[in-house]
């Protein structure tokens, strides 16, 4: 059995790339060193791992002055789940070009964090969304959330039904 861990040929992310997700013919990732944090994608041609990718293109969703990170694109629903300033959000790809702002719907908040509070029990961050197709049609979005305990942070796994 060959290794599933293979470097992508013909592609270097540069940047401080993290949280990659591969969809049909493109790769999405974020650059958490950029201020504000931004999400990018590249179009690919051919099968992995030897595909050739285009240069990085910014994903123009929501307010680009906000921190956007941890993208997860669900192919069947054409929804991009990501973190925006600590909130868990999604945007609908309504057209065919992820590089065009006109092809994205409005940013919709799934869950809002309490980043600016020091209240014990407050959710101070969310991210790493992923999507589960559950029998019976009750699809679910899973994510990590971080709670401030008053003296430390506690990371947890959460779930909400897909809207």
């Amino acid at each position: 059995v060959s290794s599933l861990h293979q470097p992508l040929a013909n592609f270097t992310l540069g940047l401080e790339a993290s949280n990659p997700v591969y969809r049909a013919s493109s790769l999405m990732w974020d650059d958490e060193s950029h201020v504000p944090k931004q999400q990018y994608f590249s179009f690919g041609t051919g099968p992995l791992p030897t595909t050739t990718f285009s240069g990085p293109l910014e994903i123009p969703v929501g307010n680009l002055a906000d921190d956007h990170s941890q993208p997860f694109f669900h192919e069947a629903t054409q929804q991009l789940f990501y973190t925006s300033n600590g909130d868990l959000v999604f945007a609908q790809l309504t057209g065919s070009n992820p590089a065009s702002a006109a092809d994205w719907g409005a940013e919709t908040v799934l869950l809002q964090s309490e980043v600016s509070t020091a209240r014990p029990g407050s959710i101070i961050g969310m991210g790493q969304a992923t999507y589960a197709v559950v029998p019976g049609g009750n699809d679910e979005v899973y994510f990590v959330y971080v709670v401030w305990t008053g003296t430390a942070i506690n990371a947890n796994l959460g779930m909400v039904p897909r809207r």
Side-chain angles (χ1 to χ4, degrees):
V1 174
S2 65
S3 170
L4 295 177
H5 278 248
Q6 298 178 26
L8 294 175
N10 311 313
F11 189 67
T12 302
L13 293 176
L15 314 171
E16 185 181 308
S18 58
N19 304 303
V21 60
Y22 183 76
R23 64 175 281 259
S25 62
S26 66
L27 181 69
M28 294 182 174
W29 71 96
D30 65 26
D31 175 13
E32 295 187 18
S33 70
H34 187 274
V35 177
K37 298 174 187 171
Q38 293 300 317
Q39 302 174 116
Y40 298 91
F41 76 97
S42 280
F43 287 113
T45 57
L48 288 177
T50 58
T51 190
T52 299
F53 286 96
S54 68
L57 300 166
E58 190 170 359
I59 301 172
V61 294
N63 181 349
L64 296 183
D66 291 343
D67 278 338
H68 292 160
S69 63
Q70 304 174 343
F72 177 80
F73 189 80
H74 186 256
E75 194 74 36
T77 62
Q78 297 289 287
Q79 291 176 322
L80 176 66
F81 297 88
Y82 57 101
T83 302
S84 179
N85 291 341
D87 297 338
L88 185 64
V89 301
F90 74 91
Q92 184 77 41
L93 182 61
T94 57
S96 61
N97 183 1
S100 169
D103 283 5
W104 288 100
E107 181 177 275
T108 302
V109 176
L110 277 173
L111 291 170
Q112 191 169 22
S113 67
E114 302 172 275
V115 176
S116 63
T117 184
R119 179 185 61 78
S122 61
I123 296 175
I124 59 171
M126 288 177 273
Q128 302 293 13
T130 192
Y131 191 97
V133 177
V134 180
N138 298 320
D139 297 348
E140 301 166 338
V141 178
Y142 288 84
F143 58 95
V144 172
Y145 67 98
V146 179
V147 174
W148 173 247
T149 66
T151 58
I153 59 172
N154 184 5
N156 300 277
L157 180 64
M159 181 278 295
V160 293
R162 184 179 76 84
R163 295 182 184 178

